[in-house]
């Protein structure tokens, strides 16, 4: 995946084949089954366990805030540049007009990708959480949340999000139908043919 696809797109509106971390009332740990990718452009870079915990905590906190409809808390976790491009009232009203949100499902992290100082972006450490969510009504969500830390010792902020929703009638046996699957701009696991 090209870095410009991951970071350069605008903020935009299968199943149990892969076990992974699940967001719940407590911040989950990312187990060894979650795919991890480091994009280092030839440099020697390895995120520390503390980096992974801090990034995962921000992802989990953001998800839980949305699930609880704590819009003020979720918005406060957005990076300032994202807040500048998404005024609070407009951002919140877009969420409130929906009957349900991706954060309402059982969220499983499928892949964690790391970028350090990507070209064309503010410097710092980026963690990208590709996830799948399954809601009680059978709706499937997939997408990613990017968190960014500008400097060592500072906190992570949500830099970008992108999600897609698949209604229950387009899912068979817990997996989106083949024609739908090919259109999804999501990572759902190695060997899963999506538009990602």
């Amino acid at each position: 995946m090209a870095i410009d696809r991951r970071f350069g797109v605008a903020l935009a509106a299968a199943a149990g084949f892969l076990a992974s971390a699940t967001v719940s009332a407590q911040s989950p740990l990312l187990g060894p089954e979650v795919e991890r990718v480091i994009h280092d452009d030839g440099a020697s870079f390895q995120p520390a366990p503390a980096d992974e915990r801090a990034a995962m905590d921000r992802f989990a906190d953001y998800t839980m805030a949305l699930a609880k409809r704590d819009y003020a808390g979720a918005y406060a976790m957005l990076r300032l540049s994202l807040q500048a491009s998404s005024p609070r009232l407009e951002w919140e009203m877009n969420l409130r007009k929906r009957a349900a949100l991706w954060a309402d499902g059982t969220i499983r992290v499928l892949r964690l990708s790391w970028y350090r100082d990507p070209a064309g972006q503010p410097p710092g450490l980026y963690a990208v959480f590709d996830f799948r969510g399954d809601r009680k009504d059978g709706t499937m969500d997939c997408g990613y949340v990017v968190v960014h830390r500008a400097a060592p010792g500072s906190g992570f902020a949500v830099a970008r999000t992108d999600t897609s929703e698949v209604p229950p009638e387009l899912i068979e046996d817990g997996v989106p139908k083949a024609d739908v699957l090919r259109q999804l701009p999501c990572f759902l696991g190695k060997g899963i043919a999506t538009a990602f």
Side-chain angles (χ1 to χ4, degrees), residues 5-147:
R5 166 143 172 78
R6 185 55 88 182
F7 292 97
V9 296
L11 179 67
F17 58 84
L18 179 64
S20 51
T22 301
V23 174
S24 60
Q26 294 183 334
S27 179
L29 298 175
L30 291 173
E33 69 278 359
V34 173
E35 181 181 348
R36 288 168 171 78
V37 180
I38 299 172
H39 301 273
D40 62 5
D41 296 327
S44 177
F45 165 65
Q46 183 68 38
D51 295 329
E52 186 171 292
R53 279 192 305 274
M56 185 64 197
D57 284 348
R58 176 53 70 207
F59 169 71
D61 289 346
Y62 179 71
T63 303
M64 294 308 296
L66 289 178
K68 294 176 183 174
R69 304 308 192 259
D70 178 6
Y71 298 114
Y75 189 81
M77 295 181 213
L78 302 182
R79 184 169 68 179
L80 292 178
S81 61
L82 183 51
Q83 289 181 359
S85 66
S86 305
R88 164 107 190 264
L89 184 58
E90 179 183 334
W91 178 85
E92 185 173 330
M93 292 311 296
N94 283 333
L95 293 174
R96 285 185 179 274
K97 69 184 178 184
R98 301 186 60 150
L101 301 176
W102 63 266
D104 298 340
T106 300
I107 306 299
R108 293 177 293 137
V109 176
L110 304 175
R111 180 172 64 185
L112 170 57
S113 303
W114 293 95
Y115 297 86
R116 187 174 63 171
D117 301 327
Q121 295 300 312
L125 183 61
Y126 291 80
V128 182
F129 294 91
D130 289 290
F131 68 87
R132 175 187 168 142
D134 293 286
R135 299 188 217 162
K136 291 180 180 177
D137 69 356
T139 301
M140 187 199 94
D141 299 287
C142 63
Y144 64 83
V145 173
V146 180
V147 297

